[in-house]
Amino acid sequence: MSKDVFVFIEQRDNQLEKVGIELLGKARELADALGQNVVAMLLGEKVKDHAEILIKHGADKVIVVEDEMLKEYVTEPYAKAITQIIKEKDPEIVIYGASSIGRDLAPRLAARIHTGLTADCTKLEIDEESKNLMMTRPAFGGNLMATILCEDFRPQMATVRPGVMQALDSDGSRKGEIEEFKVEFDDSDMNVEIKEISKQESQKKDITEAKILVSGGRGIGGPEGFKPLQELADTLEAEISASRASVDSGWITKDHQVGQTGKTVRPELYFAMGISGAIQHVAGMEDSDLIIAVNKDPEAAIFEIADLGVVGDINAVVPKLIESIEREKKIKAEI
Ligand SMILES: Cc1cc2nc3c(=O)[nH]c(=O)nc-3n(C[C@H](O)[C@H](O)[C@H](O)COP(=O)(O)OP(=O)(O)OC[C@H]3O[C@@H](n4cnc5c(N)ncnc54)[C@H](O)[C@@H]3O)c2cc1C
């Protein structure tokens, strides 16, 4: 009988990706609701040392597959290894990050194993009666939320974007089992030759990691509108993010986009500057601890979710905000 909640753990350059740790937190909740275990699947070349970290973050067991073929992510060897694990262990649920790796891997596995896959879930819950996994995701352009069930096939599989689920704090007292799983690879499993890995160097922090975000929407008026926002961000040691309208207008690059088709963020403080508060934007930032919105339209939807709203022109409000933060900082430095 199918059993346990499995999580595919991503690593790049032998560093664990945060999304896997976040998914362990959700898997813990699902497994507890089912009275089952959380099993992490960790693949790579020399990755076993990371297994303890996964146990501290909620895994009861870590299945480690080590092979030089798994050093870099390549679809075929990864798909082969996970297919073997799933076929042998028969999990109830498997979750993957909706990262470029997870988006490549999960659909292939769904086809090989012959089961369903719900992509980009924003909510995962166990149905109390049937014990099925309820996988909720935005549908029809984000205008409604659809809850999808996979009743007839196992495992039930879902992908979840980075930043959507919350990681559990590390608990050093947790104990778990580590199983080394052997997969026999041969040359035919490597159908791609990696000639070069070129990394996009970025000076900027990923917006999903930022504690404070200053986000600019169409209301900033143009690319030059990001200059005062950058000044404000520098004063607060914050990062800049944006609505899709700013990205689509070519004012800022897509990696800054917050929302349903951008990134999900959860900073301590989120400034929504000249952003109307469309549902697709809100989906990516509503879990921020504190939301401050500046908008000249008192009816703007963003005020419905903002903790603090300022009705006014950003061109007037932002310089005043910077001035008062600088003043506060000076006073603090003096005392
Ligand atoms: C399938 C789909 C996916 C989408 N995904 C995303 C997504 O991931 N992220 C996202 O952001 N959007 C997304 N959208 C688009 C979304 O529906 C909105 O169109 C978009 O969020 C609007 O961006 P905005 O708030 O910056 O612009 P607008 O809606 O044009 O709002 C601009 C706001 O600025 C205010 N304003 C104007 N001038 C000033 C000023 N001087 N001072 C103060 N306020 C001012 C206005 O009152 C207005 O409220 C998606 C849409 C679809 C259909």
Side-chain angles (χ1 to χ4, degrees):
M1 205 180 107
S2 305
K3 179 160 108 23
D4 295 339
V5 181
F6 280 44
V7 177
F8 170 67
I9 302 295
E10 263 178 50
Q11 55 83 18
R12 290 177 201 224
D13 294 336
N14 210 351
Q15 297 292 311
L16 294 179
E17 291 285 310
K18 208 170 134 221
V19 64
I21 309 285
E22 291 166 1
L23 296 183
L24 284 177
K26 176 46 79 173
R28 182 73 270 153
E29 191 188 306
L30 300 174
D32 288 344
L34 291 166
Q36 298 180 3
N37 287 323
V38 174
V39 181
M41 297 183 283
L42 176 62
L43 281 67
E45 192 184 22
K46 287 177 186 144
V47 288
K48 200 177 152 199
D49 286 352
H50 298 303
E52 285 298 336
I53 299 173
L54 304 174
I55 292 168
K56 285 180 188 161
H57 282 278
D60 296 301
K61 180 172 172 178
V62 183
I63 295 178
V64 181
V65 190
E66 286 189 326
D67 195 285
E68 59 178 5
M69 274 223 197
L70 302 171
K71 183 168 188 248
E72 317 287 352
Y73 174 76
V74 175
T75 314
E76 195 50 42
Y78 269 71
K80 177 174 177 172
I82 305 270
T83 303
Q84 280 190 19
I85 296 174
I86 293 178
K87 285 197 169 156
E88 193 176 313
K89 308 285 179 187
D90 191 14
E92 175 76 2
I93 294 170
V94 186
I95 32 186
Y96 310 80
S99 60
S100 48
I101 290 179
R103 284 174 204 260
D104 180 70
L105 181 65
R108 195 165 294 243
L109 293 165
R112 282 191 194 183
I113 296 155
H114 194 71
T115 188
L117 173 71
T118 308
D120 284 349
C121 295
T122 51
K123 202 162 141 195
L124 296 173
E125 279 175 313
I126 301 295
D127 179 42
E128 271 182 33
E129 259 181 45
S130 68
K131 300 291 177 198
N132 279 321
L133 179 65
M134 299 195 290
M135 301 173 273
T136 303
R137 55 153 298 151
F140 296 104
N143 291 317
L144 64 86
M145 300 302 281
T147 297
I148 294 158
L149 300 175
C150 175
E151 291 175 317
D152 299 331
F153 297 96
R154 289 293 181 268
Q156 303 159 92
M157 304 215 301
T159 67
V160 178
R161 283 202 276 157
V164 172
M165 301 301 176
Q166 244 174 330
L168 295 174
D169 288 338
S170 175
D171 176 355
S173 69
R174 283 190 50 81
K175 297 268 171 285
E177 184 194 339
I178 299 169
E179 176 186 335
E180 288 183 46
F181 189 93
K182 202 74 212 134
V183 177
E184 297 300 333
F185 292 104
D186 58 48
D187 289 348
S188 68
D189 293 319
M190 188 56 93
N191 55 356
V192 170
E193 184 190 351
I194 299 176
K195 295 214 156 159
E196 189 193 352
I197 296 176
S198 71
K199 291 195 178 139
Q200 192 180 6
E201 291 300 334
S202 168
Q203 302 296 318
K204 297 274 171 213
K205 231 167 130 186
D206 181 343
I207 60 167
T208 62
E209 309 269 336
K211 288 205 165 127
I212 306 177
L213 282 173
V214 179
S215 213
R218 202 187 328 254
I220 66 169
E224 65 289 346
F226 276 107
K227 275 196 194 135
L229 297 194
Q230 185 63 62
E231 235 179 280
L232 174 62
D234 291 344
T235 325
L236 293 165
E237 291 177 33
E239 299 295 324
I240 290 286
S241 55
S243 72
R244 177 161 157 180
S246 301
V247 172
D248 286 352
S249 306
W251 301 347
I252 192 159
T253 52
K254 167 96 179 156
D255 53 330
H256 293 88
Q257 186 184 318
V258 171
Q260 191 194 314
T261 43
K263 293 181 177 171
T264 303
V265 297
R266 210 191 282 264
E268 288 169 14
L269 175 57
Y270 187 89
F271 284 96
M273 302 299 206
I275 292 177
S276 58
I279 183 172
Q280 297 90 352
H281 184 82
V282 169
M285 46 66 80
E286 62 191 334
D287 288 333
S288 305
D289 290 346
L290 185 76
I291 299 168
I292 300 180
V294 181
N295 198 304
K296 65 180 184 185
D297 174 9
E299 303 296 325
I302 194 74
F303 289 132
E304 285 167 28
I305 58 143
D307 298 288
L308 194 75
V310 180
V311 179
D313 188 321
I314 21 182
N315 300 310
V317 176
V318 173
K320 283 200 176 136
L321 200 54
I322 297 172
E323 208 182 290
S324 57
I325 293 167
E326 291 292 5
R327 198 179 327 117
E328 283 297 316
K329 275 175 141 181
K330 233 184 191 167
I331 295 168
K332 258 199 175 160
E334 280 165 8
I335 51 175

